[in-house]
Amino acid sequence: MKCKVRFLLIISFFSLQLNAQGIITFKEGLVVGATQRGTRSVVFTDPVLYKFIINKAIEPIEKDSVGLGRDGEVQRWEKIEVNEKGVFKSRKLRGGYLYITYNAAEAGIKIFSISGHSEVYINRVPRGGDVYNKHLTFHPVELKKGKNIFFIKGGRGEVSIKLLPVEKEISFLKRDMTIPDFLTTETDTKVGSIRILNSSTKTVKNLKIVAESNGQKTETNISSIIPLSMRKVPYYVQDVFTKKDTVRVKIQLFQGSELIDESSVLYKVKTPEQFYSRTFISDIDGSVQYFSVKEGNIKEGEQPAMFLSLHGASVEARRQAAEYKAKDWGHVIAPTNRRDFGFDWEDWGRWDAMEVQEIAEKMYQTNPKRTYLTGHSMGGHGTWQVGVTFPNKWAAIAPISGWYSLFSYGNKTKTDKPSPIENMMASASHSSHTLKLSKNYLHHGVYIQHGDADDVVPVDEARFMRSHLGEFHPDFAYLEYEDKKHWFGIDFKTIFDYFKWHTIPNNTDVKNFEFRTASPGVSSESRYITLYQKDKQNDFCGIKVSQNVRTEKQIKKNETLKKRSITIKTENLKKFKVDLKHCIASDSIEIQIDTNSFNDLASYKGKEVWFEKGNNSWELSKKPSNTFEKNPLRYGNFKEAFKNNMVFVYATKGTKSENEWSFNKARFDAETFYYRGNGSIDIIPDKDFSLKKFKDRSVILYGNASTNAAWESLLSKSPIQVKRGEVRVGKKTVKGNDLGVYFTYPRKDSKTASIGVVSGTGTLGFNAVMPNSYFRSGASIPDMMILSPSVYNKGIEEVKAAGYFGNDWTVENGNIEWKN
């Protein structure tokens, strides 16, 4: 399979074409169908990937078998050619693999342009994917002289590939900019973002962007960009336009005083009567995100409602907002799930929705008691998911043509009896289990809408929830449209009429409510109660609350309730808070918690009262002062570390191969999060990290105590220690160079920031944690997990340990399951 190079043609088994512009296109390769099992999980089997992980050479031969496919048929490597459009197209590339080689006449840097893939390994180095075929992936790659191997995991059946020459070492990439609209009623500074490509082998520093708008220049300093990478960076620009128009903004890239690249971008100048988009810097990763707005025609002096509207897959916020006519009593706010596909409104998509909701509430001064949630398709699922997770926020919700759970829509769970480790791993995804949380819907009204001819999301999803809610919910509506398919609009008068009938009631007048959550770190507040800590970390926690309320006669006479009695039944709780502000007018207050009575709490009226469970009974306690312990601001699991303006720290004090793995893995994760979440992450070497410089920022650390210099300052007191050849978990030590390790631990110098550790005990251990399926919605890891490469061959049985730290972040008080 060697290539012979001629002037305009490279000939090999995998033939290529070199055109006059120096662009190399691939014509042939080998393809094999998908053999992966367990797609929505960090634990899956994949015989092809397994051979790659254990460092076996990938040298496929036509007709070689690799295992059974999803349909039970034997999958074999076979020859594939591009179609007339130059695209590799095959059903086998729906999760299968494509293998291509390129014989380079000399070593050098090229731009690897690829789309339609989940991920690619170039000479065994992982690079990010473009699974939705958006043509956003341009990886600077350092090719070696001679044979170069491209090992590509397919996405949705089509993959296109080119090798492009490097025209500039550092340059703008205009495609995929995030920009706001200018508004005729505002003159201020707005933020946008643009990609910068670093095709050099050095970290680029001392960059700045100068944006010129109507003669006014604004400078923005840019963070460093690691070698052979792309980063989407923020820049600021002046909005000084007062007439509806489109204007061109000039942007220039400087390194020091040297102009490196320049371009321009068209901005729209809109009036508030049009739908428009705003941008903001996300607290999750410091990236620029946007949301769209359709303002209502609100009468002067009236406080507007908010309608948070979640878009469907491939739609984005702009198209969502454009579907609405102006309302006379509220504003439509459309977040964007961080991408048009994003995270199914789970995980970072859920955080994005709530980040936007908080920003919009402050910006537009909307009425917190008149906040509503709706969405279509994937956004319909998001409505079920965000609605059940944060029930305290909504007066009513209206899912349209959506699936109610990740596990009801194309992701059927196993029916076999799970092992203790399987149960532990499954518990990390509890926040995705809508039905387990469904009593939370009692907080608000629910309006379900679906077409009976929907050919994308079956109407059975809506019918099931109608039946399910019918068992306990007194205030839901169901409308099924005859002969309507998946899309038939989102702006329905019936929905907004339903919304108008609903307002979040005052706590004084709420007789009963229930609240359940996967973790206080996911969601903790309900009415006047805040859940602070769980007892068992691998299970749900919750409350059922009832209180006496005023009679209708007392309400009419505006009489106060002299005695307030509150009864609370708890589930798996260790510590929680009751806010008694709504009891300020009562002369006496009594609270019954399970079997424990607290009869004289009048001194707490208008204040917060804390309770903690000890020796199987509840006791009054003080407000927690130890913020290091698990609490709603920082609770775990592993995925929760990927926020708080996270920074990726790679190792430099290991061997050459260890350091290369660490750098490559950090870049791979950043590229994946950029694509899935429109992300922008600082990536730095361990020698540049300091606690002070990166104060209150979460850290994702790549490597172990032997290889990463930041380990000592961040993790010296952690009960989990990883070094070459061994992992220590509390008093238990496991030896071997093939152990991969994930865990999270709090930064002791911060009340909010966490550390996420991606580690291994040797080459095989590092390879075991190379895949990054934890960026997929619903694919989660508990506080810790140890695995071997064999997990990709045998599955869950090769997970060595998984579980949670205790509330004090110790192993001894936690819940950890070990193999055997």
Side-chain angles (χ1 to χ4, degrees):
M1 298 184 188
K2 294 182 178 179
C3 300
K4 295 182 180 180
V5 181
R6 303 197 184 280
F7 178 58
L8 287 179
L9 185 66
I10 301 175
I11 302 173
S12 73
F13 179 82
F14 308 108
S15 65
L16 308 105
Q17 182 78 36
L18 174 66
N19 70 16
Q21 288 77 41
I23 299 174
I24 299 168
T25 57
F26 296 81
K27 299 297 182 182
E28 296 178 348
L30 288 177
V31 66
V32 68
T35 55
Q36 181 175 327
R37 297 288 191 279
T39 54
R40 198 173 291 280
S41 172
V42 295
V43 177
F44 57 88
T45 59
D46 186 332
V48 179
L49 181 65
Y50 171 64
K51 290 181 180 179
F52 183 85
I53 292 291
I54 62 174
N55 287 329
K56 282 194 174 182
I58 300 295
E59 295 281 357
I61 298 173
E62 193 173 359
K63 296 185 180 180
D64 274 1
S65 64
V66 299
L68 296 179
R70 295 168 184 167
D71 58 1
E73 297 290 325
V74 174
Q75 298 299 307
R76 302 180 185 276
W77 289 101
E78 61 183 47
K79 187 176 178 180
I80 186 173
E81 297 179 353
V82 296
N83 62 17
E84 66 279 1
K85 295 180 180 179
V87 176
F88 291 100
K89 186 173 183 178
S90 168
R91 287 191 60 83
K92 292 182 179 295
L93 286 173
R94 298 182 70 86
Y97 289 91
L98 176 65
Y99 175 84
I100 292 173
T101 63
Y102 166 55
N103 238 23
E106 58 184 9
I109 297 172
K110 298 285 187 183
I111 306 298
F112 188 63
S113 171
I114 179 171
S115 62
H117 66 304
S118 295
E119 59 201 46
V120 57
Y121 296 85
I122 303 169
N123 295 328
R124 303 195 71 86
V125 175
R127 303 302 296 265
D130 181 7
V131 69
Y132 298 114
N133 218 2
K134 292 181 173 295
H135 303 278
L136 297 180
T137 306
F138 298 88
H139 294 313
V141 296
E142 194 168 16
L143 300 180
K144 59 187 179 182
K145 182 179 179 179
K147 186 177 182 179
N148 294 268
I149 295 175
F150 304 95
F151 182 52
I152 301 156
K153 185 171 179 59
R156 294 185 156 195
E158 296 184 12
V159 175
S160 57
I161 311 167
K162 293 177 183 176
L163 278 172
L164 311 176
V166 176
E167 296 180 359
K168 291 182 180 180
E169 277 198 337
I170 306 167
S171 62
F172 283 135
L173 285 175
K174 275 188 63 178
R175 185 181 294 172
D176 193 40
M177 293 181 69
T178 300
I179 61 173
D181 294 321
F182 291 157
L183 287 173
T184 57
T185 54
E186 297 178 355
T187 54
D188 60 359
T189 301
K190 290 183 166 62
V191 65
S193 61
I194 187 171
R195 296 188 295 169
I196 297 176
L197 194 66
N198 177 14
S199 301
S200 75
T201 57
K202 295 181 179 180
T203 296
V204 178
K205 300 179 179 181
N206 198 26
L207 294 176
K208 69 178 179 182
I209 291 176
V210 177
E212 184 176 347
S213 169
N214 200 28
Q216 295 193 28
K217 293 184 178 181
T218 306
E219 292 188 4
T220 308
N221 293 322
I222 303 303
S223 299
S224 61
I225 302 174
I226 59 172
L228 301 175
S229 71
M230 176 280 298
R231 185 171 184 191
K232 194 169 182 179
V233 300
Y235 69 90
Y236 290 89
V237 62
Q238 293 296 315
D239 175 4
V240 293
F241 300 91
T242 58
K243 293 183 179 180
K244 181 179 173 181
D245 200 356
T246 55
V247 296
R248 190 162 291 280
V249 172
K250 182 180 180 181
I251 50 176
Q252 296 176 308
L253 179 63
F254 289 86
Q255 186 171 31
S257 59
E258 180 187 356
L259 178 63
I260 296 176
D261 200 4
E262 61 183 344
S263 187
S264 65
V265 59
L266 199 65
Y267 277 67
K268 294 179 179 179
V269 185
K270 293 189 172 184
T271 67
E273 290 73 30
Q274 299 174 280
F275 82 89
Y276 59 84
S277 297
R278 292 191 182 275
T279 51
F280 65 98
I281 299 289
S282 171
D283 289 337
I284 294 172
D285 61 344
S287 64
V288 176
Q289 302 296 328
Y290 88 94
F291 62 96
S292 292
V293 182
K294 180 61 179 178
E295 286 191 30
N297 298 321
I298 311 300
K299 293 179 181 178
E300 188 174 349
E302 291 188 359
Q303 188 175 20
M306 182 197 301
F307 314 112
L308 197 74
S309 183
L310 311 184
H311 65 76
S314 81
V315 175
E316 279 211 18
R318 287 184 177 89
R319 287 172 57 194
Q320 187 80 355
E323 290 293 325
Y324 288 96
K325 294 179 180 178
K327 309 304 171 191
D328 62 4
W329 62 289
H331 305 309
V332 174
I333 307 293
T336 201
N337 190 29
R338 290 194 139 235
R339 284 286 191 193
D340 49 356
F341 289 91
F343 302 99
D344 297 305
W345 297 105
E346 307 229 1
D347 305 322
W348 296 275
R350 183 177 66 231
W351 298 340
D352 174 75
M354 300 314 296
E355 199 170 24
V356 168
Q357 189 273 333
E358 182 179 357
I359 290 169
E361 185 172 288
K362 291 177 181 177
M363 181 174 290
Y364 295 97
Q365 293 294 295
T366 59
N367 186 346
K369 292 185 176 295
R370 308 213 76 183
T371 303
Y372 307 89
L373 180 65
T374 186
H376 174 264
S377 190
M378 181 181 73
H381 165 67
T383 303
W384 287 119
Q385 163 64 199
V386 178
V388 83
T389 305
F390 305 103
N392 214 39
K393 290 289 185 181
W394 324 110
I397 68 172
I400 306 169
S401 303
W403 60 95
Y404 64 85
S405 169
L406 289 178
F407 306 101
S408 69
Y409 184 63
N411 293 282
K412 304 301 181 183
T413 55
K414 290 173 59 177
T415 56
D416 298 341
K417 185 178 180 180
S419 69
I421 284 184
E422 281 181 292
N423 281 330
M424 194 64 74
M425 290 297 299
S427 70
S429 298
H430 274 171
S431 61
S432 296
H433 286 263
T434 308
L435 294 184
K436 297 287 187 180
L437 304 169
S438 61
K439 291 294 183 70
N440 291 357
Y441 293 127
L442 287 166
H443 279 67
H444 43 64
V446 180
Y447 182 106
I448 308 169
Q449 182 169 299
H450 217 108
D452 71 354
D454 194 324
D455 53 355
V456 177
V457 179
V459 69
D460 287 346
E461 295 282 323
R463 290 172 180 172
F464 176 85
M465 287 307 290
R466 175 189 61 186
S467 174
H468 181 68
L469 292 179
E471 296 175 1
F472 63 87
H473 203 299
D475 180 20
F476 79 94
Y478 181 88
L479 183 56
E480 185 175 304
Y481 279 81
E482 188 176 2
D483 297 329
K484 294 293 185 183
K485 293 193 174 182
H486 189 57
W487 172 258
F488 55 103
I490 55 176
D491 188 6
F492 292 91
K493 183 179 183 298
T494 47
I495 289 176
F496 285 92
D497 284 346
Y498 184 84
F499 283 170
K500 211 165 193 175
W501 302 334
H502 290 79
T503 302
I504 297 176
N506 294 323
N507 288 334
T508 302
D509 301 316
V510 176
K511 187 174 183 179
N512 303 296
F513 66 94
E514 298 184 30
F515 177 58
R516 203 178 197 221
T517 182
S519 159
V522 175
S523 177
S524 62
E525 296 181 359
S526 173
R527 306 295 188 200
Y528 46 88
I529 291 182
T530 300
L531 310 187
Y532 193 80
Q533 287 179 347
K534 295 195 286 186
D535 188 9
K536 295 180 181 179
Q537 303 301 319
N538 60 325
D539 209 345
F540 295 92
C541 65
I543 49 168
K544 294 182 180 180
V545 183
S546 62
Q547 67 175 357
N548 62 322
V549 297
R550 294 181 299 170
T551 64
E552 289 185 13
K553 184 177 179 181
Q554 287 174 314
I555 293 172
K556 286 180 180 179
K557 290 184 176 182
N558 199 26
E559 295 178 354
T560 59
L561 196 65
K562 297 299 182 181
K563 182 179 181 180
R564 177 74 68 175
S565 299
I566 302 172
T567 300
I568 303 171
K569 294 182 179 181
T570 69
E571 174 193 7
N572 191 33
L573 272 184
K574 176 69 175 176
K575 192 178 296 186
F576 70 99
K577 175 183 75 174
V578 181
D579 188 339
L580 296 175
K581 289 187 180 68
H582 72 292
C583 302
I584 190 70
S586 299
D587 294 331
S588 67
I589 304 169
E590 62 181 23
I591 299 179
Q592 175 86 17
I593 307 176
D594 298 330
T595 59
N596 305 115
S597 299
F598 302 88
N599 297 319
D600 188 15
L601 297 174
S603 61
Y604 288 95
K605 68 179 182 178
K607 301 177 184 178
E608 298 173 348
V609 56
W610 286 85
F611 297 95
E612 183 171 4
K613 197 171 190 178
N615 297 322
N616 293 319
S617 65
W618 288 100
E619 301 172 354
L620 283 167
S621 67
K622 295 180 179 179
K623 180 180 179 179
S625 58
N626 184 357
T627 56
F628 176 75
E629 286 193 346
K630 288 189 172 184
N631 67 78
L633 295 178
R634 182 175 58 190
Y635 210 94
N637 50 35
F638 174 76
K639 222 169 187 176
E640 295 281 319
F642 287 79
K643 57 182 181 180
N644 286 312
N645 200 11
M646 55 189 166
V647 55
F648 288 3
V649 180
Y650 63 88
T652 64
K653 75 168 192 174
T655 64
K656 183 174 183 291
S657 62
E658 288 171 333
N659 293 343
E660 286 177 349
W661 172 87
S662 183
F663 173 86
N664 291 335
K665 172 61 172 167
R667 181 180 59 186
F668 178 41
D669 277 6
E671 289 172 346
T672 303
F673 194 72
Y674 151 73
Y675 184 80
R676 286 191 173 272
N678 196 23
S680 177
I681 297 170
D682 285 325
I683 306 175
I684 64 167
D686 50 10
K687 60 187 177 183
D688 289 351
F689 178 80
S690 73
L691 297 175
K692 184 177 180 180
K693 184 177 180 181
F694 295 93
K695 181 178 173 59
D696 285 328
R697 295 179 64 177
S698 288
V699 177
I700 310 301
L701 186 147
Y702 297 88
N704 59 37
S706 306
T707 67
N708 195 305
W711 190 285
E712 179 64 25
S713 62
L714 289 168
L715 293 161
S716 60
K717 302 298 184 182
S718 167
I720 297 181
Q721 294 293 318
V722 189
K723 61 182 182 180
R724 291 190 190 102
E726 71 173 47
V727 182
R728 178 167 56 83
V729 181
K731 297 179 181 179
K732 187 178 182 71
T733 299
V734 185
K735 294 185 179 292
N737 69 353
D738 63 343
L739 301 172
V741 184
Y742 300 107
F743 72 93
T744 185
Y745 195 69
R747 280 187 63 165
K748 285 201 168 185
D749 62 324
S750 172
K751 294 180 180 180
T752 55
S754 298
I755 309 151
V757 181
V758 183
S759 187
T761 57
T763 300
L764 290 176
F766 287 137
N767 286 351
V769 294
M770 184 65 80
N772 56 18
S773 53
Y774 41 79
F775 288 124
R776 295 197 63 186
S777 56
S780 297
I781 298 170
D783 288 351
M784 62 81 67
M785 175 185 178
I786 303 173
L787 68 157
S788 75
S790 297
V791 76
Y792 304 108
N793 184 37
K794 297 181 180 179
I796 192 76
E797 65 184 76
E798 290 303 316
V799 174
K800 307 299 182 184
Y804 300 88
F805 296 108
N807 287 317
D808 57 358
W809 292 99
T810 66
V811 169
E812 291 76 15
N813 293 322
N815 305 92
I816 296 177
E817 291 288 349
W818 288 86
K819 181 182 179 182
N820 300 327

